[in-house]
Amino acid sequence: MAPRTAPVSVRQALVHPRYLLSPWPWRAAAYLLTGAVAGAVVLVGLVIWVAVGGVLAFALVGLPLLAALALAGLPVAALERRRLRLVDGDEAPGPHAEPPVPGLRSWLTTRLRESATWRALGHTLLTACLLWPAEALLLTVAAALPLSLTATPVLLATIGEGRETKVLKAWTVTDGPTAFLAAALGVLLLAAGAYVLGAAAAARAALTRLLLAPRGGDPAARVVELTRSRARLVDAFETERRRIERDLHDGAQQRLVALTMTLGLARLDAPPGGPLAAQLARAHEEAGAALAELRELIHGIHPKVLADYGLEAAVADAADRSPVPVDVAFDLAHRLPDPVETAAYFVVREALANVARHSGANRVRLRGGHRDGRLVLELADDGRGGADSTRGTGLTGLADRVSVLDGRLSLTSPPGGPTLLRVEIPCEPTDPGLTDPEPTTDPAPKDTGPTDPKDTKDPQATKGTAPEGRDPKRPGPAGGTACA
């Protein structure tokens, strides 16, 4: 048989065989007694508060005092959470969230918007109007009356001078045997009252924990905290991406450049036509290829054009790198928050990579802009369609990236095409003095293909020109995720 664990609350102690010999009955009585006293004090304080505020309201001075009644439950709730330790050993943390910024105004705004503040006010009113009289009555019936019966022999010997005494002001005891019989009855009632007080204290503690210190935390506060923690994780992730990009750019890339130059100089010093010259040539070519791949990798981690010139230039660069021709109609008159620009850029990159890998499209149309407090992106292709998130993780990854910023991603891709991907991300310009540009129905598209008339003879000449050191046959940027 497993050893019985010690109870950590009065509710658990009630079913313990040694409950009457434990400190829990005394703790339950102390909990109810302090609750009755605190409730009476709170009632008097609220009455004085309302009276003073009502009198001063004629001079408009008392209106803020009356409005502050909404926060009257906060100190009472803090006291109740401390008293809860008398009958419940579990932690009782406050359900209130930290204000987003320091200051009285932020604190007031946060508190007035929390449901926990209004639950605390309701608990305070319930304590002042109903709970403390009930606790006082229960203590009188379950503890004071049995103690009075238990003390009958003492009362008969002292106050009654051995002749008679009144028990509960209703029962006259005139002899010793009757007095001891009343004392025995008082002991039995006191034992029963200990269980009654324990049950009442457990119920009172459960009500307090439900309203003021829920075990799972305030659901609304948890949602807010989860949202903030998710945003913090995204910021940390983007910071780490930039750090990796900076380390590769300033470290490994510079070493490869130096190695390439050293190999080039060694080729000049080697005798031409010999085996050493051939090996140096191969090594020089491999170093150049590795440098090109590293540059592409760095660009995929966090492109410098995005940090320096913004989302519009980065989208044009991504379209230029796409193996499928892209018509770009993207209009932004201002910079957006870094997380929004980064998420939008990688959505465009990964979507273009998915088009190149799976759609069989001949052309892509990319439109976007900032309208009515939202960044809107639309990417349409003339491919085969039939994109389905259940056949891959690409669409799910894109949707997750957008949802982190409270955005929305929608996809229309019937079999046979065309496919339309639409992304909306709520955001505001980083410069508050800038306003949204006037909406246009369809900005003139910017064809990212070459404009040399000689190139128009080749039907593939409308593709964007790949940058130096990049394989033009690569299907999109590194890190693209399949979406179909």
Side-chain angles (χ1 to χ4, degrees):
M1 181 177 180
R4 187 185 297 270
T5 59
V8 296
S9 66
V10 68
R11 180 180 60 84
Q12 298 177 3
L14 283 171
V15 297
H16 201 276
R18 299 178 61 85
Y19 169 72
L20 293 177
L21 301 178
S22 69
W24 289 108
W26 299 98
R27 298 176 68 168
Y31 180 69
L32 295 175
L33 178 61
T34 55
V37 175
V41 173
V42 169
L43 177 61
V44 174
L46 289 178
V47 170
I48 295 176
W49 193 335
V50 173
V52 173
V55 171
L56 297 179
F58 293 100
L60 302 181
V61 180
L63 295 180
L65 192 61
L66 292 176
L69 275 173
L71 304 175
L74 297 181
V76 179
L79 175 63
E80 287 296 318
R81 284 191 289 269
R82 288 183 175 273
R83 287 199 321 110
L84 198 60
R85 300 174 185 175
L86 286 172
V87 293
D88 194 343
D90 292 340
E91 292 292 330
H96 301 284
E98 289 293 330
V101 295
L104 179 61
R105 182 176 181 180
S106 177
W107 183 85
L108 288 174
T109 302
T110 303
R111 291 295 172 263
L112 291 177
R113 289 179 178 177
E114 287 179 330
S115 61
T117 301
W118 302 102
R119 291 201 308 269
L121 179 60
H123 181 272
T124 299
L125 296 177
L126 188 64
T127 299
C129 300
L130 180 62
L131 293 181
W132 82 265
E135 290 169 338
L137 179 61
L138 188 63
L139 284 169
T140 302
V141 173
L145 295 184
L147 284 174
S148 178
L149 283 174
T150 306
T152 301
V154 178
L155 295 176
L156 179 63
T158 55
I159 300 177
E161 298 179 352
R163 293 191 295 272
E164 67 175 22
T165 185
K166 287 283 189 179
V167 178
L168 306 179
K169 296 186 180 299
W171 180 17
T172 302
V173 176
T174 58
D175 55 75
T178 306
F180 283 104
L181 180 61
L185 178 61
V187 171
L188 293 177
L189 292 178
L190 193 60
Y195 280 95
V196 173
L197 292 179
R204 176 74 162 85
L207 177 62
T208 299
R209 183 171 288 279
L210 176 66
L211 295 178
L212 305 180
R215 297 184 186 276
D218 187 5
R222 291 182 63 191
V223 170
V224 172
E225 182 58 29
L226 286 174
T227 303
R228 291 178 179 175
S229 64
R230 185 175 64 173
R232 289 194 297 267
L233 287 175
V234 172
D235 293 340
F237 175 71
E238 294 301 332
T239 302
E240 186 65 14
R241 287 175 68 106
R242 294 191 180 191
R243 186 192 66 79
I244 295 174
E245 182 268 339
R246 184 174 61 252
D247 292 345
L248 289 175
H249 182 275
D250 298 339
Q253 181 176 259
Q254 301 304 320
R255 290 180 178 274
L256 278 176
V257 170
L259 175 62
T260 304
M261 295 177 63
T262 302
L263 290 174
L265 293 175
R267 290 180 64 184
L268 296 177
D269 295 338
L276 178 60
Q279 292 179 2
L280 287 175
R282 285 196 300 270
H284 188 247
E285 292 175 359
E286 290 294 332
L291 180 60
E293 291 184 3
L294 181 61
R295 284 173 175 169
E296 187 66 23
L297 175 62
I298 294 174
H299 189 276
I301 293 176
H302 192 85
K304 190 172 180 60
V305 64
L306 178 63
D308 293 345
Y309 300 103
L311 181 60
E312 185 174 2
V315 168
D317 178 73
D320 182 66
R321 291 169 174 266
S322 172
V324 181
V326 183
D327 296 329
V328 181
F330 200 82
D331 186 16
L332 276 181
H334 43 69
R335 295 295 298 268
L336 300 177
D338 289 343
V340 175
E341 289 191 342
T342 302
Y345 171 76
F346 282 105
V347 165
V348 170
R349 277 186 46 141
E350 294 174 10
L352 290 177
N354 293 336
V355 171
R357 290 173 178 172
H358 306 288
S359 69
N362 296 318
R363 203 164 194 85
V364 179
R365 182 168 58 91
L366 175 61
R367 300 175 57 192
H370 189 262
R371 305 285 184 267
D372 301 325
R374 287 179 174 270
L375 173 65
V376 180
L377 295 172
E378 288 186 353
L379 192 145
D381 67 69
D382 56 359
R384 66 177 66 95
D388 186 1
S389 61
T390 61
R391 298 204 306 262
T393 60
L395 287 177
T396 303
L398 294 178
D400 291 342
R401 184 184 292 273
V402 173
S403 66
V404 167
L405 300 171
D406 295 330
R408 181 176 59 184
L409 181 146
S410 59
L411 177 71
T412 303
S413 183
T419 298
L420 174 63
L421 178 70
R422 180 181 174 87
V423 177
E424 296 182 11
I425 304 177
C427 60
E428 295 297 334
T430 54
D431 186 350
L434 296 175
T435 56
D436 290 347
E438 292 295 328
T440 56
T441 55
D442 190 1
K446 296 180 286 185
D447 192 346
T448 60
T451 58
D452 191 346
K454 298 179 181 180
D455 295 335
T456 57
K457 297 177 182 180
D458 185 359
Q460 296 296 324
T462 56
K463 296 182 181 179
T465 305
E468 182 180 355
R470 175 178 176 271
D471 186 359
K473 296 182 180 181
R474 290 182 64 183
T481 309
C483 93

